[in-house]
Amino acid sequence: MPLIETDSATRAFIDPVIEAVVVMFDRMFESGVRQTAISSTQSDCLFETTSIVGLAGDYSGSFCISAPNETLFAIVKRALDLERTEVDRLCRDSLNELANVIAGYAKDRLIEDDIKLGLPTAVQGRGVAINYPQTVEPVRIDFESDMGRLMVVFGLVRRTKGDSQ
Amino acid sequence: MKVMVVDDSEMTRMIAKKTLKNLGVSDVLEAADGAIALGIFKENPADVIFSDWNMPNMDGLTMLKEIRQLNPNVPVIMITTEGSKGKVVQAIQEGVSDYLVKPFTPASLQEKLAKWIGVPV
């Protein structure tokens, strides 16, 4: 079955995602964060560590948060008061939890739709290939906070009845 | 008082444990998923359980049903993201006592403890 609303579904997620990042950084870290850029991206130009959340239900797609090492160290320091100099399980776990709450908050803003979130998975490497629906051009939103830079990248399409999940 | 925190996020467990300790709860049990929590509960029952919803191996709702077979009365408080609040109705029907939205604050955790233990901590 064909997928429809390829780009509008992704666009509809932009404002909820920006709001989610701002609100969650304030609640979790008491940190101000501002959006610095927004662009379409077809290449995987990620930071060192990326948390990926699969989207299902009424939508199909992926939601990612990517951060450089320094940002991860700052997050662990701020949230847990622990020093880190290498990306370890706790750093990856912290990014996964951040992805989980931000994606959860954003999807709550699309209240008329049923979006199911998969469990987040952290991967390392700038060249990681993320699976987006074939017809989707993912959106990348860059943010800057007092804990460093991060980006959110996502692409999704609304399913039509009869699509397999 | 004994409190169990069930979450696949180590960060969330650490934050919850630290907050509970600061509230005077000295005995905090931890589990990374529902299956581990169930095993711990059988050996060492907690007075209150805070549990995530989405977890690998055994999710929070499945764990809740198993816990209710063992103890119908122990307060089980679901920790959920904003996006899963819609599931709360289902969870209450299944026997969950209350819910707490992530990321929680020390005040919100304290409020739930006071509500379900019956005394301020």
Side-chain angles (χ1 to χ4, degrees):
Chain A
M1 292 289 287
L3 296 168
I4 59 168
E5 295 185 53
T6 299
D7 289 316
S8 65
T10 301
R11 277 201 305 272
F13 219 51
I14 292 173
D15 285 341
V17 165
I18 293 170
E19 181 186 341
V21 172
V22 171
V23 170
M24 289 300 118
F25 262 65
D26 180 49
R27 285 190 192 171
M28 293 178 80
F29 312 119
E30 296 181 343
S31 171
V33 62
R34 65 188 181 90
Q35 173 207 332
T36 55
I38 182 166
S39 59
S40 295
T41 178
Q42 290 180 310
S43 59
D44 295 313
C45 45
L46 302 166
F47 290 122
E48 287 90 339
T49 307
T50 302
S51 178
I52 307 164
V53 180
L55 307 176
D58 288 346
Y59 290 84
S60 172
S62 295
F63 176 91
C64 310
I65 294 185
S66 187
N69 293 347
E70 292 72 22
T71 303
L72 290 184
F73 302 153
I75 286 172
V76 171
K77 176 66 178 172
R78 184 74 59 90
L80 302 168
D81 198 25
L82 294 174
E83 300 285 351
R84 286 293 185 271
T85 56
E86 292 182 1
V87 175
D88 62 1
R89 191 182 66 184
L90 188 58
C91 291
R92 291 190 292 272
D93 176 87
S94 299
L95 190 63
N96 278 341
E97 189 62 359
L98 189 59
N100 185 37
V101 295
I102 288 173
Y105 187 97
K107 87 161 197 174
D108 193 48
R109 294 301 173 269
L110 301 172
I111 52 176
E112 72 276 17
D113 298 313
D114 174 34
I115 306 176
K116 292 184 171 57
L117 303 180
L119 292 171
T121 303
V123 294
Q124 285 184 262
R126 286 176 172 269
V128 172
I130 312 294
N131 288 324
Y132 297 104
Q134 222 169 15
T135 53
V136 168
E137 192 171 24
V139 167
R140 164 182 169 169
I141 309 175
D142 286 86
F143 294 90
E144 179 81 44
S145 79
D146 62 356
M147 295 187 295
R149 301 167 63 197
L150 78 153
M151 71 171 87
V152 179
V153 188
F154 54 91
L156 60 158
V157 289
R158 180 189 281 278
R159 291 180 181 279
T160 57
K161 284 184 179 177
D163 282 344
S164 62
Q165 299 194 14
Chain B
M1 177 178 37
K2 197 181 300 177
V3 176
M4 181 152 64
V5 179
V6 189
D7 200 305
D8 57 324
S9 166
E10 188 176 4
M11 180 175 84
T12 297
R13 295 200 309 273
M14 290 175 75
I15 291 172
K17 189 173 182 177
K18 183 178 175 184
T19 304
L20 288 165
K21 296 270 185 189
N22 288 339
L23 292 173
V25 180
S26 57
D27 201 350
V28 182
L29 308 171
E30 291 181 61
D33 64 46
I36 295 169
L38 193 58
I40 292 173
F41 190 81
K42 286 175 180 173
E43 300 293 323
N44 192 9
D47 300 304
V48 183
I49 299 170
F50 288 91
S51 177
D52 190 17
W53 185 289
N54 290 319
M55 295 179 287
N57 301 325
M58 181 187 283
D59 65 19
L61 195 57
T62 306
M63 181 204 74
L64 171 75
K65 291 174 183 174
E66 297 285 339
I67 294 276
R68 284 284 171 260
Q69 298 293 319
L70 300 168
N71 184 331
N73 300 316
V74 62
V76 178
I77 298 159
M78 282 288 174
I79 307 173
T80 177
T81 63
E82 291 268 0
S84 296
K85 284 193 301 189
K87 291 180 180 174
V88 168
V89 172
Q90 180 197 354
I92 289 173
Q93 287 170 345
E94 299 284 355
V96 75
S97 310
D98 205 341
Y99 74 99
L100 185 63
V101 175
K102 280 185 181 181
F104 49 81
T105 61
S108 61
L109 195 62
Q110 183 174 19
E111 179 194 331
K112 298 301 180 187
L113 272 182
K115 177 179 176 182
W116 289 100
I117 294 166
V119 292
V121 293

